[in-house]
Amino acid sequence: MAEQGTKKRISFLGPDASFTHLAALKAFPDGDLMAYTTIPECIEAVAEDRVDYAVVPLENALEGSVPLTIDYLFHEAQLYVTAEVLSPIEQHLMVHPDNLGSDGFEAIYSHPHALAQCHKFLYYTYKNTPLEQYSSTSAAAKMVSELPERNIAAIGNEFSAQKYGLSIVHREIHDFHFNHTRFFVLSKTNHQLTNPAHNEQVKTTLMISPPKDDRSGVLHQVLSVFAWRQLNLSKIESRPLKTGLGNYFFIADILDDELSPMMQGAFMELGALGCTVKTLGSYYTYE
């Protein structure tokens, strides 16, 4: 149980049996889990106090970051990361039992990331089958379950096949073995969920806007702030500021607590450089 006391309300990207649902169950096995249709809806649910936490996807090992999550946290919401969840992703091709044994499909439905994760399999096995994007893998599975008259398939996890009564015709069709997704657990307050057993590493996520004077070498200066303090960055990437071409902010993961003396010094130096820093808080990882 991530927290003791009153049963927590958790929003997640649904419908039921999505990969985000599985991540939410890992962090809140006894929580009151509520499915939402989109990532912004999940985030707004916690921002508007309709739930206590939101669980949303952030990054996939094969397809990279989920831009919608990053941009919404930067531009729209003032929330904090209280934990992250790392979950293995296994993609399966599933059909309605009535269509089991079919030679081909009218179309294959899934989330765009899932379709991309299975590109090689789909290219070599169903090269001429249309691939249709859907809001989530579980939503695609649910849709296939409701349309037995159509010879269509979905790509998703085994949980969704069981939930919606589908038959798996091809297992583990993702292109690479190490396929994991990272999820954020978001809250309105800056705190940490209970440290999972055997996990000593705390992580801090920062969103850094460079100085407005656009001087040369700014990225080098930002990295130097962390380098000479021996603060390890596990990730850094840029996203458009949406204020004009060539204007970006950086999102960085630092392997230290934001309250440590070195991190506090880094905040002060970044401010002296003219950077604006938005912290998403410090947190532990559930695996």
Side-chain angles (χ1 to χ4, degrees), residues 40-93:
E41 287 176 344
C42 292
I43 295 175
E44 287 298 330
V46 70
E48 297 172 358
D49 294 317
R50 287 181 276 121
V51 299
D52 300 294
Y53 296 96
V55 180
V56 293
L58 176 76
E59 179 185 8
N60 177 260
L62 304 188
E63 291 305 303
S65 297
V66 181
L68 182 57
T69 299
I70 295 173
D71 290 349
Y72 209 87
L73 290 175
F74 182 83
H75 294 285
E76 305 292 340
Q78 183 57 56
L79 299 178
Y80 299 94
V81 183
T82 61
E84 71 173 1
V85 180
L86 296 183
S87 294
I89 304 297
E90 294 182 345
Q91 305 285 13
H92 311 300
L93 188 74

Side-chain angles (χ1 to χ4, degrees), residues 198-258:
H198 312 301
N199 189 332
E200 301 298 329
Q201 182 63 66
V202 67
K203 184 185 296 184
T204 299
T205 295
L206 303 179
M207 292 176 164
I208 305 169
S209 300
K212 294 182 180 179
D213 59 10
D214 197 28
R215 60 180 177 265
S216 62
V218 64
L219 179 57
H220 173 75
Q221 290 179 315
V222 168
L223 293 176
S224 296
V225 168
F226 301 104
W228 78 260
R229 290 181 171 85
Q230 296 185 330
L231 293 169
N232 186 19
L233 272 68
S234 60
K235 175 185 176 181
I236 185 168
E237 68 173 287
S238 61
R239 287 292 304 155
L241 272 169
K242 305 185 187 298
T243 58
L245 286 173
N247 298 334
Y248 295 89
F249 70 91
F250 306 108
I251 179 168
D253 294 334
I254 301 95
L255 300 182
D256 200 358
D257 193 296
E258 64 180 349

Side-chain angles (χ1 to χ4, degrees), residues 102 114 155 169 242:
S102 174
I155 294 175
V169 293
K242 305 185 187 298

